[in-house]
Amino acid sequence: MPSHSDIVVAGGGPVGAAFALAVADSRFSVTLLEARQQAKSPISQRTLALSYGTRLILERLNVWQTLQQITPIRDIHISQRGTIGVTRLHASEENVPELGYVVEYRALDAALQTALADSNIAVHYGTSVSASGGNRHLAWLNWQTKAASGMLTSRLAVIADGGNQTEPASQKQQKQYDQHALLAWISSERPHMNEAFERFTPDGPMALLPHGEGFALVLTAAPDKIRHWISLDENAFLTALHVHFGDRVGRFLTVRDRSSFPLRYSLTQHSAKDHRIFIGNAAHVMHPVAGQGFNLGLRDAWELANQIHACSHRHELGSTDMLARYQRARRLDVSASMLFTDQLVYWFTLADPVLRHARGLGLATLQQWPPLKHFVARRMMFGAQAW
Ligand SMILES: Cc1cc2nc3c(=O)[nH]c(=O)nc-3n(C[C@H](O)[C@H](O)[C@H](O)COP(=O)(O)OP(=O)(O)OC[C@H]3O[C@@H](n4cnc5c(N)ncnc54)[C@H](O)[C@@H]3O)c2cc1C
């Protein structure tokens, strides 16, 4: 382990790894510290909906080309249980080949780790960052492995540890959603035809994402209800899901790999300060309702890499000016995405019958108003900025 590197990345998950790849050909040295052992794939069973904008970035990183088991999303059907208003988004109407893609977190991780292995980045697996800090001149990270520990200084420390270790809770605006997400693989009577379904229910939003021959299910509800869903035997689960979701893809035939996650909101207060920058889930954690968390984090990584490529001298790295430029560039996208997702969960879970009908009317209006629908689709694909 060196004692100094121009850029240090704490966390080699999807966002940290993508960032490291995006600066691999810069003029600066890059060291990445990842807590997992090299051969150990992540335990997360989640599937991710990647936006079309994310595909464009992953293509430029040469990661898309090796990504396995990608299922395209060409249409998105958004509805609310108990009302008739529906919105449908179509790739053909947005002039893109696909609106998005569904991949397993593990497959994305595997493609990124392969690309890292082929790059010139010094990756240290099995190395946890236990603390970090900074001052006007540089940042420091405390690291530890099973056998050793030490300190690494850098001009720029990029914290991409998913919000796990290095920032005290007092530095974050946080809340629990009092909802858990149930994840599973489902097969259905009718094929998915590359259509994703987003359905708002009084319990919480649910999504069926086309994946391989079936669907990846993300169902959100209060923790005790999710425990109940998980405890059901297979037939009871499939019947309950049919009642919950409706008949759009016919009956559900099989379910496997049910697991659950608690859901929270978290926003780091000072995401760029004293030669340190927090990106991805280390900076912001959102509800998965709109499938935006990784997409937003990747746009952090891409913007930060662009700022670094624009630095002609080492002393500019992590400088107050550079950090301020990064924050200015990311402010709108991060705040708009966090607010949109949070408000979506809030308004669509209020039980008031008047509001329920207003929401149904809102979905119907969105369907009938192409400019607004186009705006929503572009935001979901590219975030709140021009590309
Ligand atoms: C149920 C669910 C469904 C989701 N669906 C979607 C979706 O459809 N689309 C979407 O865009 N997003 C989705 N997300 C969000 C998405 O999973 C995250 O936004 C994304 O994983 C964030 O990536 P990250 O690299 O910032 O953090 P993480 O994925 O958490 O990776 C962090 C990495 O840092 C490493 N690490 C942790 N601590 C340390 C340490 N102390 N030192 C060194 N390394 C460390 C970890 O081993 C890991 O490799 C979903 C999330 C959930 C919970």
Side-chain angles (χ1 to χ4, degrees):
M1 179 74 73
S3 58
H4 183 87
S5 175
D6 293 332
I7 301 169
V8 178
V9 189
V15 171
F19 165 75
L21 290 168
V23 291
D25 62 348
S26 71
R27 53 175 68 79
F28 307 114
S29 58
V30 183
T31 303
L32 191 155
L33 310 181
E34 164 58 43
R36 271 179 293 148
Q37 300 297 332
Q38 182 165 18
K40 204 168 167 215
S41 66
I43 49 166
S44 178
Q45 288 182 359
R46 76 188 76 157
T47 43
L48 301 176
L50 307 185
S51 68
Y52 182 66
T54 285
R55 172 192 173 148
L56 299 182
I57 295 177
L58 293 177
E59 274 179 351
R60 291 177 72 172
L61 297 177
N62 288 322
V63 170
W64 186 259
Q65 293 78 342
T66 59
L67 198 50
Q68 304 285 316
Q69 296 167 331
I70 305 166
T71 307
I73 301 175
R74 299 209 179 88
D75 306 294
I76 302 178
H77 181 287
I78 309 167
S79 63
Q80 180 185 231
R81 195 169 147 197
T83 54
I84 51 171
V86 161
T87 298
R88 284 196 167 92
L89 307 177
H90 303 289
S92 53
E93 287 177 0
E94 301 306 324
N95 291 324
V96 288
E98 282 105 17
L99 292 170
Y101 308 87
V102 182
V103 298
E104 285 181 32
Y105 181 100
R106 287 176 197 200
L108 176 63
D109 180 71
L112 286 161
Q113 302 307 323
T114 303
L116 281 174
D118 293 343
S119 75
N120 57 359
I121 296 162
V123 184
H124 298 265
Y125 290 98
T127 307
S128 280
V129 172
S130 52
S132 70
N135 58 31
R136 281 193 303 126
H137 308 291
L138 49 73
W140 55 265
L141 297 177
N142 286 345
W143 57 265
Q144 58 191 55
T145 64
K146 276 186 186 155
S149 61
M151 183 196 274
L152 184 51
T153 58
S154 67
R155 293 290 308 173
L156 179 64
V158 179
I159 311 297
D161 65 351
N164 288 323
Q165 304 286 340
T166 54
E167 190 66 354
S170 59
Q171 299 298 315
K172 295 176 179 178
Q173 192 187 324
Q174 295 197 86
K175 68 176 176 195
Q176 299 296 329
Y177 275 113
D178 198 25
Q179 279 190 345
H180 282 194
L182 183 157
L183 311 183
W185 273 271
I186 302 284
S187 67
S188 61
E189 216 171 18
R190 290 203 281 277
H192 56 60
M193 311 286 281
N194 297 99
E195 184 169 24
F197 296 88
E198 181 79 48
R199 186 149 173 87
F200 293 94
T201 80
D203 287 341
M206 66 168 286
L208 280 184
L209 305 172
H211 186 46
E213 297 296 304
F215 290 98
L217 168 70
V218 184
L219 187 151
T220 65
D224 55 336
K225 289 203 173 172
I226 292 293
R227 278 190 285 276
H228 172 70
W229 278 100
I230 290 208
S231 71
L232 292 175
D233 69 36
E234 181 167 343
N235 283 338
F237 180 89
L238 294 169
T239 307
L241 188 64
H242 191 223
V243 172
H244 197 68
F245 177 70
D247 198 46
R248 282 177 188 81
V249 291
R251 283 180 305 118
F252 294 107
L253 303 178
T254 56
V255 56
R256 64 179 166 87
D257 298 342
R258 277 177 270 174
S259 64
S260 68
F261 275 88
L263 299 177
R264 66 191 169 100
Y265 170 105
S266 169
L267 188 60
T268 297
Q269 300 288 326
H270 304 290
S271 64
K273 196 178 168 208
D274 293 340
H275 290 261
R276 278 190 313 163
I277 290 191
F278 292 75
I279 63 172
N281 271 27
H284 38 69
V285 178
M286 60 172 66
H287 194 288
V289 56
Q292 287 297 311
F294 169 67
N295 297 303
L296 183 66
L298 185 66
R299 296 197 293 269
D300 291 345
W302 189 248
E303 176 58 38
L304 182 55
N306 285 338
Q307 299 285 347
I308 288 168
H309 286 293
C311 291
S312 38
H313 298 288
R314 207 159 254 113
H315 69 258
E316 292 173 43
L317 264 185
S319 64
T320 311
D321 281 354
M322 192 207 126
L323 299 190
R325 273 198 306 277
Y326 169 79
Q327 281 191 304
R328 265 199 307 278
R330 293 300 300 140
R331 189 167 295 133
L332 174 65
D333 191 21
V334 171
S335 53
S337 302
M338 295 294 281
L339 187 71
F340 173 74
T341 305
D342 192 45
Q343 292 298 303
L344 204 60
V345 177
Y346 178 72
W347 287 106
F348 271 89
T349 37
L350 289 178
D352 185 316
V354 177
L355 272 177
R356 185 157 56 84
H357 285 290
R359 292 188 302 248
L361 194 63
L363 288 174
T365 308
L366 188 58
Q367 173 65 15
Q368 297 304 325
W369 197 3
L372 186 57
K373 204 163 77 151
H374 182 64
F375 174 80
V376 170
R378 307 299 297 182
R379 274 283 170 100
M380 286 176 78
M381 286 190 288
F382 303 110
Q385 57 203 349
W387 285 82

